[in-house]
Amino acid sequence: MMTPFLLSKDNIELQFATNHLGHFLLTHLLLDNMKKTARKSKIEGRIVNVSSEAHRITYPEGIRFDNINDEKQYNKYQAYGQSKLANILHANELTKHLKEEGAEVTANSLHPGLISTNLFRHVFTPPSFAQGFVSKLSSLLMKNVQQGAATTCYVALHPQVK
């Protein structure tokens, strides 16, 4: 989250590769099996894309498909936002196609809430007093890891989300 500019092994900006492309590929590799399983079992399949409210903090044009790897224009906050926006758009488009197809699989995206993890380690560079202060404050104001995971589990399992 909000890393300095780096490229993945496949030469794609790391946040976009990690936060979106890996999940996109995994989803599509499993999708046919999910459809078959849902059809046979009569149990709805669910795809959950974890996004973030940070999807609102992106480049002015949204996702820079033509400039994903442009280090000169890279902004770690906007790059993170575009990767999370991509997760939402993917879930929305996938749901539309699955409904048209009549598949018993749904795709959702969610913001799990602010969770006290080390994800914020790149926000304050170099590390500072502010980072230590935010770390202490986060343990009081943010969800713990189990509470954050509960949001995703709810979307994945609860009947009201069908």
Side-chain angles (χ1 to χ4, degrees):
M1 182 173 102
M2 302 173 191
T3 62
F5 182 82
L6 296 167
L7 294 176
S8 70
K9 288 181 182 179
D10 297 313
N11 286 323
I12 299 168
E13 189 276 315
L14 189 63
Q15 290 189 93
F16 195 77
T18 301
N19 296 337
H20 178 63
L21 293 180
H23 299 80
F24 178 91
L25 179 59
L26 178 63
T27 298
H28 287 277
L29 290 173
L30 296 174
L31 196 53
D32 284 339
N33 282 336
M34 288 186 73
K35 291 177 197 175
K36 288 176 194 171
T37 301
R39 198 171 29 255
K40 286 180 185 178
S41 69
K42 306 275 191 251
I43 298 172
E44 176 190 57
R46 299 228 181 134
I47 297 162
V48 180
N49 287 347
V50 177
S51 187
S52 169
E53 279 297 313
H55 80 276
R56 299 175 193 282
I57 306 165
T58 188
Y59 296 105
E61 64 273 32
I63 300 172
R64 292 183 162 176
F65 288 109
D66 294 334
N67 295 322
I68 290 283
N69 293 344
D70 187 347
E71 185 174 2
K72 290 181 186 124
Q73 294 183 17
Y74 180 78
N75 176 289
K76 66 183 182 179
Y77 305 104
Q78 292 173 314
Y80 180 73
Q82 91 175 342
S83 72
K84 294 305 184 172
L85 175 60
N87 289 347
I88 293 169
L89 296 174
H90 175 238
N92 292 352
E93 191 65 21
L94 185 55
T95 291
K96 186 173 93 176
H97 288 283
L98 291 167
K99 279 185 182 179
E100 289 170 359
E101 208 178 298
E104 285 297 314
V105 177
T106 62
N108 292 288
S109 59
L110 65 94
H111 170 63
L114 289 174
I115 303 165
S116 183
T117 68
N118 69 349
L119 275 177
F120 296 95
R121 69 189 175 277
H122 297 290
V123 174
F124 301 103
T125 51
S128 64
F129 170 77
Q131 185 176 17
F133 179 74
V134 168
S135 179
K136 293 289 183 200
L137 191 61
S138 73
S139 64
L140 300 171
L141 301 175
M142 295 181 183
K143 293 179 179 182
N144 63 37
V145 173
Q146 292 79 12
Q147 291 167 327
T151 310
T152 304
C153 292
Y154 177 85
V155 173
L157 299 169
H158 202 281
Q160 287 183 326
V161 183
K162 182 175 171 84

